[in-house]
Amino acid sequence: MRKVCVLGAGSWGTALSMVLEKNGYDVCLWTRREEQCDEINIRHTNEKYLDGIVLGEKIKSTTNILDAIKDAKLIVLAVPSQKIREICRKICDDIDRDQIIVNVAKGIESNTGKRISEICFEEMPNNKYCMLSGPSHAEEVSRNIPTAVVVAADELEISQRVQDYFMNEFFRVYTNDDLIGVELAGATKNIIAFGAGILDGIEFGDNSKAALMTRGLTEISRFGVALGADLSTFSGLAGIGDLIVTCTSMHSRNRRAGILIGEGLTVEDTEEKINMVVEGITATRAVFKKANQLGIEMPITECIYRVLNGEIDPKTGVTELMTRSKKHENEFIFKI
């Protein structure tokens, strides 16, 4: 049997279902909502998330999560990061040891500061886990636009098995053994993308965004290395690759949300208008808290955090960043 399961029928879960279906697998796509389930099964569309896309016949949807995971060789977690623990607890008693967990959510648990792998290992300690990440907008993947991503696990053999599931002529998958780095890069780049959107919202230019992206990469690399990541990961697809695509594209909900904040909307109004989870907002708060606990200097993250909390307006935040004490450009690894 060639059944795989995708938990979460948002844009990314649906796009990855299309990749897996194209590769010859029977995909069970789980959603909480009956009307979305019916749309996928009857009309073969998911218009709220991927407008104009027709889904393959081997993609079937269900609202029964235990039916979804039954007999699936691969279980893809495509729900927002703050829902991961809830989903793990729903399935932990019914999964088999040989089912591989593939997380594609890019975030950090807000109340604990834990990475998604740490959550999964706590709730499902007997299952192999990996993270799939990289510069990959669902809107483009669903249209077979060439995309390159990375899959990371503690065991190379697991990464290679998952690589085989997903890789095709439109979707290239590299392996990586730095699970910590890939997870942290995916979560923290959302903060910088959110900041890039704020700069667009206040109508600053390319110079400002280039500075933000470059110093943002320094900042998230510093955070990652302090938590055990390999520095080189942040120069790869999960790091600079994902940072570029989320800071520059209107497909990025983090950038779009930042634009609205820069234009003067409140956080609540922004989240309502985006109408999807904005991981950058949650990540900013979680990373700022953890960085403070560990004494890691993250001025951009701190600035965005204060903007979100209403302590400063975006333009004041930029001025504060520009007038910080003088620094040497490369003093970011050891002076944390």
Side-chain angles (χ1 to χ4, degrees), residues 260-291:
L260 296 175
I261 294 291
E263 290 175 342
L265 267 67
T266 64
V267 174
E268 294 74 18
D269 288 343
T270 293
E271 291 179 316
E272 182 178 349
K273 192 163 184 177
I274 295 295
N275 198 29
M276 287 189 283
V277 173
V278 181
E279 294 280 13
I281 293 175
T282 305
T284 297
R285 290 169 171 153
V287 170
F288 174 76
K289 180 179 178 181
K290 197 168 190 71

Side-chain angles (χ1 to χ4, degrees), residues 92-107:
C92 63
D93 292 332
D94 293 89
I95 58 174
D96 296 326
R97 292 174 64 98
D98 63 348
Q99 291 178 300
I100 300 174
I101 307 299
V102 182
N103 171 53
V104 300
K106 300 170 182 176

Side-chain angles (χ1 to χ4, degrees), residues 57-98:
E57 297 286 337
K58 288 187 176 182
I59 299 175
K60 305 296 183 183
S61 187
T62 181
T63 56
N64 187 318
I65 196 167
L66 298 185
D67 285 347
I69 67 171
K70 185 178 180 181
D71 298 322
K73 299 299 182 184
L74 204 70
I75 298 175
V76 179
L77 297 177
V79 297
S81 60
Q82 305 312 307
K83 298 293 184 181
I84 292 287
R85 192 178 293 276
E86 172 194 334
I87 295 301
C88 289
R89 288 177 174 173
K90 285 180 182 292
I91 66 174
C92 63
D93 292 332
D94 293 89
I95 58 174
D96 296 326
R97 292 174 64 98
D98 63 348

Side-chain angles (χ1 to χ4, degrees), residues 4-5 16 19-20 23 25 73-77 98-104 127-133 149-168 171-176 179:
V4 295
C5 163
L16 289 176
V19 172
L20 291 164
N23 289 351
Y25 296 99
K73 299 299 182 184
L74 204 70
I75 298 175
V76 179
L77 297 177
D98 63 348
Q99 291 178 300
I100 300 174
I101 307 299
V102 182
N103 171 53
V104 300
N127 290 83
K128 301 298 184 182
Y129 169 95
C130 66
M131 168 78 178
L132 188 146
S133 190
V149 298
V150 62
V151 60
D154 288 334
E155 300 176 33
L156 179 60
E157 189 265 338
I158 297 301
S159 295
Q160 290 172 333
R161 285 169 63 183
V162 173
Q163 182 183 44
D164 289 338
Y165 273 96
F166 283 96
M167 190 159 166
N168 61 40
F171 199 74
R172 182 167 180 80
V173 184
Y174 291 85
T175 57
N176 190 308
L179 179 57

Side-chain angles (χ1 to χ4, degrees), residues 11 48-49 137 139 190 193-198 200-201 246-263 265 270-271 273-278 281:
S11 57
K48 177 181 178 181
Y49 296 100
H137 290 310
E139 295 85 351
N190 287 329
F194 185 71
I198 293 175
D200 290 330
T246 50
C247 286
T248 60
S249 174
M250 283 303 287
H251 288 314
S252 167
R253 72 188 68 165
N254 291 289
R255 181 187 171 214
R256 297 201 312 272
I259 290 171
L260 296 175
I261 294 291
E263 290 175 342
L265 267 67
T270 293
E271 291 179 316
K273 192 163 184 177
I274 295 295
N275 198 29
M276 287 189 283
V277 173
V278 181
I281 293 175

